[in-house]
Amino acid sequence: MKIVSAILGCILFVLFFGFALKNTDPVDLHFFLGYELRGPLVLMLLAFFIAGAFLGILAVTPTVFRHRRESSQHKNTIQALQSAAGTAASAPQPDSVTPH
């Protein structure tokens, strides 16, 4: 399986490297207030991809922390219930049966 993933990684690298070599033309990005940025297309695409990935991770972070906090609270509750059940419950007593 490692060989297959290494071959796939090499193929993807060659494809992306070829894409980068074919897209080196300069492009202009026009922002508000007359601000303009000029650079190679492949670097602009890379910058916006990285910015989008960062914003996506930033958007998910509060949810991840909330789930971790809730999971910790549930584990503490389970441990408390298990310890309470272990101390409160003694060995079961047999039913008292009178012989006939």
Side-chain angles (χ1 to χ4, degrees), residues 4 20 39-40 47 49 62 66 69 72 77-78 82 84-85:
V4 173
F49 175 77
R66 188 182 77 236
R69 187 176 60 247
S72 176
T77 304
I78 289 171
Q82 286 176 342

Side-chain angles (χ1 to χ4, degrees), residues 19-37:
F19 176 78
L21 288 177
K22 289 288 190 181
N23 291 293
T24 57
D25 296 335
V27 294
D28 295 329
L29 290 177
H30 302 279
F31 295 100
F32 296 106
L33 302 174
Y35 185 70
E36 185 176 316
L37 185 64

Side-chain angles (χ1 to χ4, degrees), residues 50-97:
I50 290 172
F54 177 74
L55 288 175
I57 290 170
L58 196 63
V60 172
T61 301
T63 304
V64 170
F65 282 124
R66 188 182 77 236
H67 282 272
R68 283 187 181 179
R69 187 176 60 247
E70 287 175 357
S71 175
S72 176
Q73 289 173 351
H74 290 312
K75 285 180 184 178
N76 291 338
T77 304
I78 289 171
Q79 288 177 351
L81 289 174
Q82 286 176 342
S83 65
T87 58
S90 60
Q93 299 295 323
D95 293 337
S96 61
V97 178

